[in-house]
Amino acid sequence: MSAVEKIPGEKSGEISGGTIFSLPSKKGVAVTRGKTKEGKLIARLKKSGLDPQKLLDLALPAAAAKSATKMRHRMMILGFVLFVAAPAAVFSTYMFFWASDQYHSMTAFAVRSANPVAPTEVLGMVMGNAGGESTTSNSYIVTDYLQSQSVLEDLPKDLDLQTIFNRESSDFIFSMGNDLPIEDRLKYWNAMVDVSFDATSGVIQVEVRSFRPEDSVEIAKAILKRSELLVNQLSEANRRETVRFAEEGVARAEARLKAIRKQMLAYRNETQEVSPEENAKLAVEMIAGLDQQRASREAEKKTLMSYLDEDSPRIRLLNQQIEALEGQLSSARERLGSGTSPSGSSGSNRTALSFRLADYSELALEEEFAQQLFLTSLASLETARQEADSKHLYLATFIPPTLSEDAQYPHRLLYSFAAFLLLAGTWSVAVMMYYNVRDRT
């Protein structure tokens, strides 16, 4: 039996030329029929409106999920490269090869008072001085001033900040720019000038950065000068405020004393007497003398009446003298007063010595009170001036502006790493948000 005949399930035949070929077996016929049936099934599914691929995905879910996972991973990697790695690389290249060097200048000073503080007084150390103006509050004022818009307006005109901060115009990230509004200039100023205050020691530290060491020193000197002028202004304002109330008190007391003295002068011009008290003393002495003389005459009369007649010349002379003395006494007493109460007298004479003495005593009392008040106000003014002198503030500079020899800024590695972390964090948040939304839907 030939080899062809030994092959089971196959039929052989001969062709001219001796070529032998095999006919398809029954198994091949089954495969052809199966493919025909699958084609008919796909045509029937499409005809009924169903998607054979979706049915296949449902039939094989693991394969479809694996394919989608690979696609998501590829998109995540692509997003990381485009939004994290590439921008971080560009920024790092800029920082290391393009960003300009920055030089700093340091200065430190403190606001001090002329009134010394004992080192053992903890409260005085914290508040700046004991019993005087708080240097801590004035230090905060200086710190806020150096970070405000006022310092930009008060800097000397020959200090051109726009030129100084734009010397490296190619460094568009760290340079200031031209023709900026005052708000943007202030923001850039606070970024390049760092002001810090230590409340425990009372020290104010200022660090200035620019693209040249000399520029940083010039800016630091200008800041130091403006701070000193501000402290002097605060000290002078404090001194004026302390002395102002005392000076106002002296002015009021002086005006009152002058008014009282004018009233006293008008009174003396009207009464034509310097002091009614002295006149009253003279009137009392005169009344006492007249009364003594009258008593002497009456005693003499009684003595003579023991052996002389009433009509004797001596007795008549004594009577006349006694009557004259009584008239003088009556006139002198009328000069002192009317002899009735002021409320009960319908026509009391205000020119009487008693009324003049009362008016004068009132004016004299007011004058004395005004004079004492004036003297007290002068003493208070002197005390206020001494206190104001003890509250004198001054700026103590113990670290003058330093000149840098090497660039300290920018921190290239730190900035590059921070940029990478920021981009990576943003990318991570975006990825987590995507997975969160995907899991919920």
Side-chain angles (χ1 to χ4, degrees), residues 215-377:
D215 293 338
S216 299
V217 173
E218 290 299 324
I219 296 175
K221 289 181 178 179
I223 289 175
L224 198 60
K225 185 177 181 180
R226 287 307 312 171
S227 300
E228 186 175 1
L229 291 176
L230 178 62
V231 170
N232 293 336
Q233 293 175 1
L234 293 174
S235 179
E236 183 63 24
N238 178 44
R239 185 180 184 278
R240 288 197 304 266
E241 191 68 19
T242 303
V243 177
R244 182 173 63 88
F245 293 103
E247 290 178 344
E248 290 178 355
V250 171
R252 289 193 299 267
E254 184 179 4
R256 182 174 181 178
L257 181 59
K258 288 181 179 180
I260 295 299
R261 287 181 174 176
K262 286 182 180 180
Q263 294 180 11
M264 182 67 75
L265 180 60
Y267 173 82
R268 287 170 177 170
N269 290 332
E270 181 181 356
T271 59
Q272 295 181 350
E273 56 185 358
V274 178
S275 175
E277 294 179 351
E278 298 297 330
N279 293 338
K281 291 179 181 179
L282 293 176
V284 170
E285 291 177 358
M286 183 178 64
I287 291 174
L290 292 174
D291 193 34
Q292 184 178 3
Q293 291 179 14
R294 187 190 65 173
S296 176
R297 296 295 185 276
E298 288 180 350
E300 184 180 358
K301 177 183 175 181
K302 288 181 180 180
T303 303
L304 293 175
M305 285 294 294
S306 60
Y307 59 88
L308 292 178
D309 189 13
E310 182 73 27
D311 295 331
S312 65
R314 182 64 177 168
I315 297 298
R316 288 200 301 270
L317 178 61
L318 289 174
N319 289 332
Q320 291 175 0
Q321 290 179 352
I322 291 171
E323 289 178 0
L325 290 173
E326 288 180 350
Q328 290 179 357
L329 284 172
S330 177
S331 177
R333 288 191 176 96
E334 286 180 357
R335 288 179 59 192
L336 288 177
S338 61
T340 59
S341 61
S343 59
S345 177
S346 58
S348 60
N349 187 9
R350 295 296 301 179
T351 61
L353 185 58
S354 60
F355 288 100
R356 297 202 310 272
L357 184 61
D359 295 339
Y360 178 80
S361 299
E362 184 178 354
L363 289 175
L365 181 62
E366 291 183 2
E367 183 182 13
E368 182 179 3
F369 179 77
Q371 187 172 359
Q372 292 295 329
L373 180 61
F374 179 69
L375 294 176
T376 305
S377 300

Side-chain angles (χ1 to χ4, degrees), residues 3 9 64 75 81 91 109 163 166 196 205-206 244 284 291 310 322 336 363 390 404 407 410 423 431:
M75 294 301 295
V81 171
F91 184 77
F109 51 86
T163 302
N166 286 321
S196 61
Q205 291 186 350
V206 179
R244 182 173 63 88
V284 170
D291 193 34
E310 182 73 27
I322 291 171
L336 288 177
L363 289 175
S390 67
S404 179
L423 293 172
V431 170

Side-chain angles (χ1 to χ4, degrees), residues 16 47 53 178 193 204 206 215 260 287 335 377 388 392 405:
S16 62
K47 187 176 181 180
Q53 184 62 39
N178 298 318
V193 178
I204 301 175
V206 179
D215 293 338
I260 295 299
I287 291 174
R335 288 179 59 192
S377 300
H392 175 68
E405 297 181 355

Side-chain angles (χ1 to χ4, degrees), residues 360-427:
Y360 178 80
S361 299
E362 184 178 354
L363 289 175
L365 181 62
E366 291 183 2
E367 183 182 13
E368 182 179 3
F369 179 77
Q371 187 172 359
Q372 292 295 329
L373 180 61
F374 179 69
L375 294 176
T376 305
S377 300
L378 287 177
S380 299
L381 177 60
E382 186 64 25
T383 304
R385 285 175 178 172
Q386 294 177 359
E387 184 180 356
D389 293 337
S390 67
K391 292 180 179 180
H392 175 68
L393 301 175
Y394 64 93
L395 195 70
T397 304
F398 53 90
I399 298 181
T402 59
L403 180 63
S404 179
E405 297 181 355
D406 190 15
Q408 296 80 23
Y409 297 93
H411 300 294
R412 307 177 192 275
L413 183 61
L414 179 62
Y415 285 175
S416 300
F417 184 66
F420 175 77
L421 289 181
L422 179 62
L423 293 172
T426 305
W427 175 81

Side-chain angles (χ1 to χ4, degrees), residues 111 135-146 197-199 204:
V111 180
T135 57
T136 303
S137 61
N138 290 294
S139 299
Y140 278 116
I141 292 175
V142 175
T143 302
D144 293 340
Y145 169 75
L146 295 179
F197 171 62
D198 186 1
I204 301 175

